[in-house]
Amino acid sequence: MNWDEYRIKCYELGRNAEIYQRDGSFNERATALIECGMQEFSAEGGVTFLEQMISHGPLYDEVDRLLCPILLYTGDKICYGVLDGFARYLGQELSMLGNAVEEYNLEENGMSGLADFAGKRFRAVIGFQTYGFSVLASKEEYLHDLIVGPKFHMLLDHPVWMRNQLLHAPKNDYYVLTHDENYVRFIERYYPSVKGTFLVPPAGREYVPVEGEQLPSGEPGVEKIYDITFIGSYHDWRLWMPQVLEMNRKTGGVARRFLHHMLHHRDQTWEQGLEEVLDWMGRENLSDEEFRDLLFDIKPVCFIVMSYFREKIMDAIVAAEVPVHVFGDSWKQERYKRAKCLIRHPNLTPDESLRVYAQSKISLNIMSWHKAGMTERIANMMLNHAVTVTDESKYLVENYVEGEDYLAISLTDIAGVPKVLRQILEDEKKQQEIAESAYEKARNKETWACRAKRIMEIIDAIGE
């Protein structure tokens, strides 16, 4: 152990003294550092430094500002652990940049354990679509307002769905990271208590072949065994109709008018569509809060519209008898039971989906209405050399070239989707060109290493 390592150990003991005292390890840890300080670092004042750290003396605050870690919330099991994976991959890359990273598993340790962080300083606290930031310390104070340092909440859905998390959140130093430029503007307008919002999409990963996996050439890798894949779920939009009818009564006809409008204005955001509907109905004078809450109330309309167009695209593919490999139990429903061109496979874990992308020549993506966004699915396709076929977004247009890095489909030309898939399937040379062009760009834009660097830039800018 060198002097710097010793200093870090002393700091960690002082920072976590209460935790170590509870688990009974404090005395053993302190004794070991005292002995080391006396034997190895007496000239540097090792024991005196340790005393300063334990007592939180004047030197402690200075060291704490320099060495405090980034806190990452992990353990979320939603969607086969996708969010948990995001946190861990980001943590690895933040560590590679030289940051101390501390993980707290919300699933295993529970929300109550967050109380241990009250009064502590962190360079940043980062969570992924979690209720952790809504934990109260008292009836009038959020726990995270007792934690020193900026809090970053990465949201992966339209922010109106996240209304409760955004409204019940720390009042100080609370920031949002999101994957769509429209969502940045939405939060800035409709959630003014959020101190800042930044465009930071989730990243993708390359599949790493396990031992024994090899291409026909004998080289390590996986073979492209799937022509076209779609790793997405099927949702029957009809199941939301009772909710829409109920909300239509409560909103005086807004819900049904909004549904009709969005089905015919497929390139608009939800907020653009609702603004036009309210203007047409002569009800445009809502406050920002009233507008936000109305959109939240009629969100079943949004679920219907998204699911309706996904169904129509898959219907067009089935009618054209274009073979597509689909994954998950949702495709066992009656509607596609007799669709022979949909080749069904079991559910996938996040790591298994990476392998499928690596084995796919072409992969279809249908945005969940992210009109300016980027998703990890597209990043995963590109990073695993699968030709991405997707409806466009502002992010894609600004960062990639349609026809060179991906192929676009349009919600206004659903009948043309099978043609796009057939044409690229029949052109192996074009497949290779698009896949390689996208890969070269994505590995410099869409990895967790890229996201970690961007987040550190934001943290440093906030701290200035």
Side-chain angles (χ1 to χ4, degrees):
M1 187 186 302
N2 59 36
W3 171 237
D4 286 338
E5 292 170 339
Y6 177 79
R7 290 173 71 245
I8 292 172
K9 291 287 187 183
C10 292
Y11 162 71
E12 290 175 344
L13 181 66
R15 180 182 174 88
N16 300 311
E18 291 183 6
I19 297 173
Y20 296 151
Q21 286 168 350
R22 282 205 306 269
D23 68 22
S25 67
F26 179 84
N27 289 340
E28 181 180 349
R29 293 171 184 268
T31 299
L33 287 173
I34 291 170
E35 292 176 354
C36 185
M38 294 174 63
Q39 296 172 8
E40 303 291 335
F41 304 112
S42 59
E44 293 88 347
V47 174
T48 300
F49 182 84
L50 174 61
E51 291 172 347
Q52 283 280 315
M53 295 302 102
I54 293 175
S55 65
H56 287 200
L59 187 58
Y60 176 83
D61 189 65
E62 179 182 334
V63 174
D64 191 35
R65 290 180 184 275
L66 290 173
L67 299 182
C68 64
I70 294 172
L71 177 62
L72 270 174
Y73 292 142
T74 63
D76 197 316
K77 302 303 181 185
I78 290 176
C79 296
Y80 299 94
V82 169
L83 299 182
D84 183 55
F86 287 172
R88 295 185 188 280
Y89 310 141
L90 177 60
Q92 292 168 10
E93 296 300 336
L94 289 170
S95 295
M96 292 291 289
L97 293 175
N99 298 287
V101 176
E102 183 175 337
E103 295 184 2
Y104 181 83
N105 191 310
L106 288 167
E107 183 77 14
E108 294 180 0
N109 300 318
M111 298 293 185
S112 61
L114 297 176
D116 285 336
F117 302 128
K120 290 187 177 180
R121 174 185 284 110
F122 290 93
R123 189 149 189 209
V125 181
I126 304 174
F128 291 77
Q129 206 143 301
T130 174
Y131 279 100
F133 290 112
S134 300
V135 172
L136 290 166
S138 65
K139 290 183 178 180
E140 299 179 352
E141 191 171 32
Y142 290 97
L143 174 66
H144 283 80
D145 283 324
L146 304 178
I147 298 174
V148 182
K151 297 86 189 178
F152 294 94
H153 198 175
M154 180 173 275
L155 300 182
L156 306 169
D157 287 312
H158 192 293
V160 78
W161 313 161
M162 303 292 106
R163 184 187 67 169
N164 292 337
Q165 289 98 317
L166 287 167
L167 291 178
H168 303 290
K171 304 304 179 186
N172 303 317
D173 299 318
Y174 177 64
Y175 301 86
V176 170
L177 309 176
T178 184
H179 61 305
D180 188 302
E181 191 176 292
N182 293 328
Y183 301 166
V184 172
R185 290 194 292 269
F186 190 94
I187 292 171
E188 288 173 345
R189 177 172 178 178
Y190 295 104
Y191 297 97
S193 61
V194 175
K195 192 167 184 179
T197 306
F198 303 91
L199 181 66
V200 183
R205 293 186 298 142
E206 292 185 52
Y207 176 70
V208 179
V210 299
E211 186 177 354
E213 288 186 315
Q214 61 183 38
L215 298 167
S217 62
E219 298 176 3
V222 292
E223 188 177 359
K224 295 287 187 182
I225 61 174
Y226 302 118
D227 285 340
I228 305 172
T229 57
F230 177 60
I231 301 179
S233 300
Y234 169 71
H235 299 288
D236 186 348
W237 56 268
R238 299 160 191 83
L239 299 178
W240 282 290
M241 280 304 300
Q243 296 177 48
V244 170
L245 294 174
E246 180 184 355
M247 289 313 306
N248 194 59
R249 289 191 295 271
K250 290 183 177 179
T251 59
V254 172
R256 178 167 282 184
R257 173 56 58 179
F258 183 49
L259 174 59
H260 182 269
H261 181 90
M262 295 309 300
L263 289 174
H264 291 84
H265 296 81
R266 305 172 188 185
D267 294 326
Q268 290 188 349
T269 64
W270 305 124
E271 52 270 28
Q272 288 170 339
L274 182 56
E275 285 173 359
E276 291 193 7
V277 166
L278 293 174
D279 183 62
W280 183 86
M281 297 179 72
R283 297 170 58 178
E284 67 275 15
N285 295 321
L286 270 64
S287 68
D288 284 351
E289 182 177 337
E290 290 170 332
F291 180 91
R292 179 199 67 204
D293 291 347
L294 175 59
L295 184 54
F296 178 83
D297 288 339
I298 62 174
K299 65 183 182 295
V301 171
C302 305
F303 300 150
I304 283 181
V305 172
M306 288 188 291
S307 302
Y308 174 83
F309 284 113
R310 178 169 292 193
E311 180 180 284
K312 288 302 178 185
I313 289 172
M314 299 309 294
D315 283 353
I317 290 170
V318 169
E321 297 184 343
V322 178
V324 175
H325 294 264
V326 294
F327 299 81
D329 294 338
S330 65
W331 295 100
K332 295 178 180 179
Q333 294 192 34
E334 186 66 31
R335 185 175 189 84
Y336 297 112
K337 205 169 186 179
R338 296 176 180 82
K340 294 182 180 179
C341 67
L342 295 187
I343 304 142
R344 297 166 185 78
H345 300 271
N347 290 320
L348 296 173
T349 65
D351 285 340
E352 288 169 344
S353 71
L354 287 184
R355 188 171 190 267
V356 169
Y357 285 131
Q359 293 174 314
S360 303
K361 296 176 182 177
I362 302 156
S363 200
L364 174 66
N365 176 72
I366 305 171
M367 290 281 197
S368 295
W369 226 259
H370 308 308
K371 299 303 182 183
M374 180 63 175
T375 70
E376 78 283 356
R377 287 184 180 179
I378 294 177
N380 284 332
M381 293 173 192
M382 292 180 169
L383 288 169
N384 287 286
H385 307 271
V387 175
T388 302
V389 179
T390 181
D391 48 325
E392 286 193 299
S393 75
K394 188 171 183 285
Y395 184 99
L396 287 173
V397 171
E398 292 180 348
N399 289 276
Y400 297 92
V401 179
E402 199 280 328
E404 294 183 13
D405 305 313
Y406 69 98
L407 295 177
I409 57 174
S410 174
L411 298 183
T412 60
D413 182 24
I414 291 175
V417 174
K419 182 180 178 181
V420 173
L421 293 172
R422 283 194 187 281
Q423 285 182 337
I424 189 60
L425 185 60
E426 294 168 359
D427 193 339
E428 292 188 6
K429 183 174 181 294
K430 189 68 172 176
Q431 288 175 35
Q432 293 174 358
E433 291 173 350
I434 292 176
E436 292 312 306
S437 178
Y439 171 78
E440 290 300 325
K441 291 182 181 179
R443 71 175 183 170
N444 293 312
K445 292 175 180 284
E446 314 298 349
T447 65
W448 284 107
C450 297
R451 300 296 184 258
K453 290 177 183 177
R454 174 59 182 143
I455 289 171
M456 289 312 303
E457 290 172 357
I458 294 170
I459 292 172
D460 290 340
I462 288 171
E464 290 179 354

